[in-house]
Amino acid sequence: MSKYFPLCFLGLSLLFNSCSNDDNIIPDNVLEEPVEQPAGATAEDYPAQNFMWQAMNIFYFWQQDVANLSDSKFTGPTDPAYIEFLASKENPASFFFEDLCNNHVDAVGEANAVDRFSAVVENYQDLLNSLQGISRSNGLEFNLYLNENGFNVYGVVTYIMPDSNASEQDISRGELFNGVDGQDLTVNNYVDLLFGENASYTLNMADIIDQSIVSNNKTVSLTKIENFSENPILVNKIIEQNGIKIGYLMYNGFLAAYDEDLNDVFGTFKSENIDELILDFRYNPGGRVSSAIQIASSVYGTNTDEVFIRPRFNDKLQSQFGVPDNFTDVTFDSETPLNTLELSRVYVITTDNSASASELVINGLEPYVDVVQVGTTTTGKNEFSNTFVDDPENSFLYDPDRIDQINPNNSWAIQPLLGRNENADGFSDYTTGLVPDHILGEDIENLGVLGDENEPLLQLTLSVISGSTAKFSPSQPFPADLLTHSKMFEPGKNNMFMDGLLKPL
C-alpha cells in the first residue's frame, strides 16, 4: 500500500472554486493516560480520531511540520501502529490538540504556540449554528478584565443584541459587573459561571470608584435563549458633517445569512451618495470569507478580474489549488447584483477584538484603497479554516446536502487552519495584528453610545475625516487589563471560514 494511504485509500480528489466563502469552544485540556487497545481493534473503533487524522493529514497547513501527520508515519488504515495511535487518547479533543496540531495554544500555552486557532467541537451542529450567528445566548456581549490583584475578574458590557433577553433587562453598554449569583468572579470560576451549562444567572453589578471596581446593590437576571440569531448589522446610519455625507456601519460578524441585508445597507449608502464610509469592526471576530469579499467589493468595486486574496495552502495542495479569489459583483449564495460605492478611501475602526475576516477586509483592500485605520491593534489572525465532519466520501468537507451521509456514530467536527490569505501585493504577515494610523483605546469609564457622534472612537474618526484631529483631546483611559471577551466562547471564535471554497469531485 502506498505510504500516502489517506489520499489513495479514500480516492480524494479536490477542486477549489475561485469564489470562496465562510469564517471554538475552549476545551478542558486534560492530560490522559494511554488507552489500552482492545484485541482485534480496527480504525473504525475510533471514528473521531480516525476521521481527524485523515482530514488533518491532507488539509492541515502545518501537516509537514507535525511528525504524527507524516505521509510515511503509517502504512495504511490497518497498520497496528496506526490503530494504536488512534487509541492513545480516549478524549478526541485531547487527541486533536496534543497529537495532531502544531503546538496548539491549548496544549502548549500562549508563549510556545504556533497554532492559536484550530478548533474542535463534539457536536458539529453547534459549530454550524455558530457560523450562522445562531447560539444559546442571552444577547449580552462583554469584555472581561483582570482586577489589579491579577485574580479577580470584572466585566464591562460592550453591546446588547436587539430582541434578546438582555435587551429587555435594565442593563446597558458601559455597565460593569464583578459577580454572578452572589459569587465574586475570579480567574478560576468565570468560565463556569458565565459560559457554563446554566441557562440563567444573575449578574452582580459594580461601579468604578476611586480607580477601583466596587460592588453596588444592583443585580440583573439574564436567561439564555436556545437558537438565538444575532444580526451582525448592529448600527447603520448616515452622518452629515460640514456638508460631507458619511456612511457608518457597525458590523459584528461576517455571517452569510445576512449578506442580503448587508447589500441593502450599501444600497442605501449608494442612493444617498455618501462621500465617505466608516466600517466599525471593533467587536467583529471574523466569519465567512465570502462575506468579507462582498463587503470589500461593495467598498471598492465589482472588479471581478482583480485579485482580492490569494490563499496559501500546505505543499500538498498549493500548486494545484492555490487559486486567487477576486472581487465579486454578486452576493455569494443568492447571486444578487452587488451595490458598490467605488470609493478610493475607507475608514475602519478596530480593537484587539477585531480578527480574521475583519483583518482580511483591511489587508485585501490595502493595494486598491486608502484604508485609514482608527482604534487599537487587531488580533493578528491571518489564517483561514474549513469545517470538516466524518463524511469520507465527500473528502470530510461539510455539505448541508449530505447530512445523512455523516457517520451517525461520530458527531465530532474540526475546524483546522488550512492556510493564510495574501493580498494582491503578496502580504499576509500580520500575526502581531494590524496597527492603526490613529491610535485610541476604548475607555471603560467613557464607552459612549455606539453610532453616536460623541462616542470617542467614532468622534476621533470623524475628526480625521474633517481634518480637525488637533482639536480632539480624549481623556486618560481607565487602566484596564483585558483578559478575554464573550465571543471567544462561541464555537466559531476568531476564525476565517472557507466553507464552500473546497469542492470534492
Side-chain angles (χ1 to χ4, degrees):
M1 180 177 290
S2 166
K3 65 181 180 178
Y4 302 104
F5 79 86
L7 291 172
C8 297
F9 179 69
L10 294 170
L12 298 181
S13 181
L14 302 175
L15 173 68
F16 284 64
N17 279 352
S18 63
C19 229
S20 61
N21 80 43
D22 289 21
D23 210 46
N24 302 249
I25 291 173
I26 297 179
D28 294 327
N29 187 26
V30 180
L31 295 176
E32 301 180 19
E33 295 295 328
V35 179
E36 184 176 351
Q37 179 183 339
T42 68
E44 285 69 30
D45 292 314
Y46 310 97
Q49 292 89 333
N50 185 34
F51 125 74
M52 289 176 183
W53 188 89
Q54 293 182 71
M56 292 285 279
N57 169 268
I58 300 165
F59 294 101
Y60 190 47
F61 186 46
W62 293 286
Q63 182 264 338
Q64 292 184 316
D65 299 319
V66 179
N68 287 334
L69 293 176
S70 170
D71 291 327
S72 59
K73 179 76 172 179
F74 308 108
T75 60
T78 60
D79 185 344
Y82 178 63
I83 298 169
E84 182 178 0
F85 175 64
L86 299 182
S88 63
K89 285 190 174 65
E90 184 175 6
N91 184 347
S94 298
F95 178 78
F96 179 77
F97 288 122
E98 297 170 18
D99 295 339
L100 301 184
C101 291
N102 184 15
N103 294 310
H104 196 280
V105 64
D106 287 344
V108 301
E110 186 73 37
N112 299 309
V114 175
D115 184 342
R116 297 179 293 157
F117 300 107
S118 287
V120 59
V121 295
E122 188 169 2
N123 188 333
Y124 63 83
Q125 193 59 54
D126 292 337
L127 181 57
L128 300 176
N129 285 343
S130 177
L131 303 188
Q132 294 298 320
I134 299 170
S135 64
R136 182 172 176 258
S137 174
N138 54 35
L140 190 75
E141 295 295 336
F142 49 86
N143 286 343
L144 292 172
Y145 300 88
L146 282 175
N147 213 327
E148 55 189 9
N149 60 16
F151 179 73
N152 287 96
V153 173
Y154 64 96
V156 179
V157 178
T158 51
Y159 70 93
I160 294 170
M161 302 176 199
D163 303 318
S164 66
N165 175 256
S167 69
E168 301 171 352
Q169 313 306 320
D170 181 20
I171 190 168
S172 59
R173 171 174 163 82
E175 288 197 82
L176 282 71
F177 58 89
N178 62 352
V180 172
D181 295 331
Q183 298 184 62
D184 290 342
L185 287 171
T186 70
V187 292
N188 294 331
N189 67 17
Y190 78 90
V191 175
D192 288 337
L193 291 176
L194 290 168
F195 308 104
E197 293 301 317
N198 50 321
S200 299
Y201 56 70
T202 297
L203 294 179
N204 304 109
M205 308 305 288
D207 297 315
I208 300 175
I209 299 177
D210 295 332
Q211 298 292 291
S212 296
I213 310 301
V214 180
S215 299
N216 58 33
N217 294 323
K218 182 178 178 179
T219 60
V220 178
S221 295
L222 298 169
T223 300
K224 296 176 183 177
I225 301 170
E226 295 290 343
N227 298 319
F228 178 80
S229 180
E230 176 186 3
N231 187 334
I233 304 170
L234 188 66
V235 184
N236 68 96
K237 62 186 296 187
I238 294 175
I239 300 168
E240 295 198 36
Q241 182 185 77
N242 302 322
I244 299 174
K245 279 190 174 182
I246 303 164
Y248 171 81
L249 169 63
M250 181 161 209
Y251 186 62
N252 291 331
F254 291 79
L255 305 176
Y258 296 91
D259 282 352
E260 295 300 314
D261 294 340
L262 181 64
N263 193 36
D264 289 342
V265 170
F266 277 91
T268 299
F269 289 161
K270 183 176 182 178
S271 66
E272 291 291 333
N273 296 311
I274 65 168
D275 302 294
E276 305 283 0
L277 175 66
I278 301 172
L279 299 175
D280 194 337
F281 290 163
R282 75 180 74 184
Y283 303 133
N284 192 323
R288 282 184 62 176
V289 170
S290 63
S291 298
I293 295 174
Q294 175 181 324
I295 200 170
S297 301
S298 288
V299 171
Y300 170 60
T302 56
N303 306 306
T304 58
D305 59 340
E306 293 188 271
V307 172
F308 177 63
I309 52 171
R310 289 188 181 92
R312 296 296 176 186
F313 297 88
N314 65 32
D315 290 344
K316 282 184 178 182
L317 305 177
Q318 179 60 36
S319 62
Q320 291 175 294
F321 306 124
V323 179
D325 288 292
N326 295 350
F327 290 92
T328 183
D329 56 1
V330 295
T331 60
F332 187 83
D333 290 326
S334 65
E335 298 187 346
T336 302
L338 209 61
N339 294 308
T340 182
L341 302 176
E342 299 182 353
L343 296 174
S344 60
R345 178 175 55 242
V346 65
Y347 298 82
V348 185
I349 297 175
T350 65
T351 66
D352 49 7
N353 290 357
S354 310
S356 59
S358 292
E359 296 167 302
L360 182 67
V361 170
I362 296 171
N363 190 50
L365 282 175
E366 282 283 2
Y368 306 99
V369 173
D370 180 15
V371 181
V372 182
Q373 189 179 340
V374 179
T376 54
T377 302
T378 62
T379 297
K381 168 68 168 59
N382 57 351
E383 299 99 352
F384 58 82
S385 61
N386 199 84
T387 303
F388 294 91
V389 294
D390 195 354
D391 181 7
E393 292 183 0
N394 201 51
S395 310
F396 302 108
L397 300 167
Y398 170 73
D399 183 337
D401 296 326
R402 291 180 57 86
I403 292 289
D404 58 350
Q405 302 299 313
I406 298 173
N407 184 352
N409 299 316
N410 178 27
S411 63
W412 286 83
I414 59 174
Q415 195 83 31
L417 298 181
L418 307 188
R420 289 177 176 158
N421 278 318
E422 300 176 348
N423 66 14
D425 291 337
F427 179 73
S428 66
D429 187 15
Y430 52 91
T431 55
T432 57
L434 297 169
V435 181
D437 303 284
H438 303 272
I439 298 174
L440 179 66
E442 287 199 299
D443 181 359
I444 66 171
E445 284 190 293
N446 180 32
L447 285 182
V449 177
L450 293 171
D452 186 280
E453 295 174 39
N454 294 314
E455 183 275 311
L457 285 180
L458 178 54
Q459 185 181 23
L460 173 57
T461 309
L462 292 172
S463 72
V464 173
I465 292 173
S466 67
S468 59
T469 53
K471 299 178 181 179
F472 181 81
S473 55
S475 59
Q476 185 68 24
F478 181 85
D481 184 5
L482 182 66
L483 174 64
T484 187
H485 58 90
S486 49
K487 284 188 180 290
M488 288 294 287
F489 294 84
E490 297 177 2
K493 70 171 184 179
N494 277 13
N495 264 320
M496 187 162 31
F497 298 112
M498 303 288 256
D499 294 351
L501 171 64
L502 313 181
K503 296 291 186 184
L505 293 177

